[in-house]
Amino acid sequence: MSVLIVGSTALDSIKTPKAENPRLLGGSASHAAVAASFFAPVKLVGVVGKDFPKRYVSLYRKHKIDLEGLQIVDGKTFHWSGEYEVNMNNRRTLETELGVFETFTPKLPAAYQDSSFVLLANIAPALQSHVLDQMRRPKFVVADTMDLWLNIALPDLLKLLKRVDGFVLNDSEARQLTKEDNLLVALKKIHKLGPKFVIVKKGEHGAILSTRDGLFLSPAFPLHRVVDPTGAGDSFVGGMMGYLSTANGPVEKNLRRAMIYGSVVASFCCEGFGLKFTTRITRKAIDERVKKLEWLARF
Ligand code: AMP
């Protein structure tokens, strides 16, 4: 089974205390698609401008990502730049240039409309809904978001939440959305907005899954050296959806293990700038790290 992924397809300029890398392949959909591709075929929906480097198209192709839903239009590719503080956790957005995303309307090729697993990676919630409108009967739909949409498109996001199975957000976004400091109380409030499965990401401290059966605490893989955490959240959810789409049995049964796989792909993502490290790993390396993480979390 394949995973359909819509989100931003971007050029990222990233500054850390140690280095600066301009115009890397980035965007929520790019990170999620590469992460998912280690487990399942991926269908990508997005838009780039004519300035989008050909080598980045080749990189998608190397991961066998279906690009029929990637529009290449006149104009400039979405460009995002950000800067990390010394602790590598706090990040400041320096600039967001929407470029071709300003007029983007996702149009799903016929072959995409029957996809069972759908990841609405971070992008304007109205666009996420527009993709859902074109799907026939997806089996499992997960949406990701960011603080920007809570600030400028909350009504659209609330409409979307009524239509998704799963919702992924980070801890500060969960608190902002619910105006609740206690995460468990916040999770309860988010379930009331629609999603049956809610995942709160806590960066280097892992993630919490909440379902009607209770909670699961998913650890993050500890790293000695973090080079660039950009896209770790997208890699987490992409890896999770890729794994889920190929696992046998009901989603509820597989979700915990899927989160562990997502965590592991996210850890690789943090070890290089942009997608540089993630695009070099193998499924075998992922499986080995999952085993190590199982050992570390056992008691
Ligand atoms: P993360 O580190 O998981 O928060 O994701 C970082 C990615 O989000 C980068 O690759 C950016 O290109 C992308 N991004 C930043 N701002 C936006 C935005 N407003 N809409 C969609 N994607 C964005």
Side-chain angles (χ1 to χ4, degrees), residues 33-263:
V34 170
S37 74
F38 294 106
F39 307 95
V42 176
K43 295 177 157 57
L44 182 69
V45 179
V47 65
V48 293
K50 293 253 163 78
D51 59 341
F52 193 66
K54 294 219 170 26
R55 65 180 189 283
Y56 292 165
V57 176
S58 307
L59 213 55
Y60 287 142
R61 292 226 161 91
K62 182 184 148 210
H63 286 268
K64 304 202 167 37
I65 295 167
D66 185 335
L67 300 178
E68 203 191 335
L70 179 71
Q71 299 176 25
I72 302 177
V73 301
D74 278 331
K76 286 199 164 164
T77 301
F78 178 100
H79 177 241
W80 173 82
S81 56
E83 181 175 11
Y84 287 88
E85 288 178 14
V86 180
N87 70 14
M88 294 302 280
N89 285 320
N90 300 340
R91 176 173 84 191
R92 198 161 64 91
T93 291
L94 299 174
E95 208 175 12
T96 305
E97 296 160 273
L98 288 179
V100 291
F101 261 98
E102 221 156 338
T103 51
F104 175 51
T105 311
K107 170 120 189 51
L108 259 53
Y112 280 38
Q113 293 169 5
D114 283 320
S115 304
S116 298
F117 287 80
V118 179
L119 172 55
L120 308 170
N122 174 31
I123 193 178
L127 295 179
Q128 293 173 312
S129 286
H130 192 67
V131 167
L132 263 192
D133 292 341
Q134 298 169 65
M135 302 292 312
R136 289 215 180 87
R137 255 182 344 120
K139 183 172 163 196
F140 192 63
V141 180
V142 168
D144 194 353
T145 197
M146 73 185 291
D147 54 351
L148 175 70
W149 311 121
L150 299 178
N151 293 332
I152 69 166
L154 187 57
D156 289 341
L157 181 65
L158 294 176
K159 264 191 236 159
L160 174 76
L161 290 184
K162 294 198 170 73
R163 305 174 64 194
V164 301
D165 303 292
F167 183 40
V168 179
L169 70 178
N170 68 31
D171 47 357
S172 61
E173 291 156 1
R175 292 185 171 106
Q176 183 183 345
L177 175 62
T178 58
K179 302 189 175 45
E180 177 58 59
D181 278 330
N182 182 293
L183 268 189
L184 298 191
V185 180
L187 280 163
K188 277 212 163 117
K189 288 191 173 176
I190 299 171
H191 280 299
K192 288 204 176 119
L193 299 175
K196 250 167 70 181
F197 305 92
V198 182
I199 294 175
V200 174
K201 295 174 289 181
K202 291 158 64 68
E204 63 179 321
H205 304 297
I208 302 179
L209 163 70
S210 170
T211 71
R212 66 178 162 213
D213 298 330
L215 301 173
F216 171 59
L217 307 180
S218 167
F221 190 86
L223 294 172
H224 285 104
R225 199 171 74 109
V226 171
V227 174
D228 169 24
T230 308
D234 310 307
S235 303
F236 166 76
V237 71
M240 180 188 91
M241 287 298 274
Y243 178 86
L244 267 184
S245 72
T246 53
N248 291 323
V251 164
E252 285 89 337
K253 180 181 146 258
N254 299 316
L255 203 43
R256 291 177 171 217
R257 182 158 281 269
M259 285 173 70
I260 298 293
Y261 274 87
S263 258

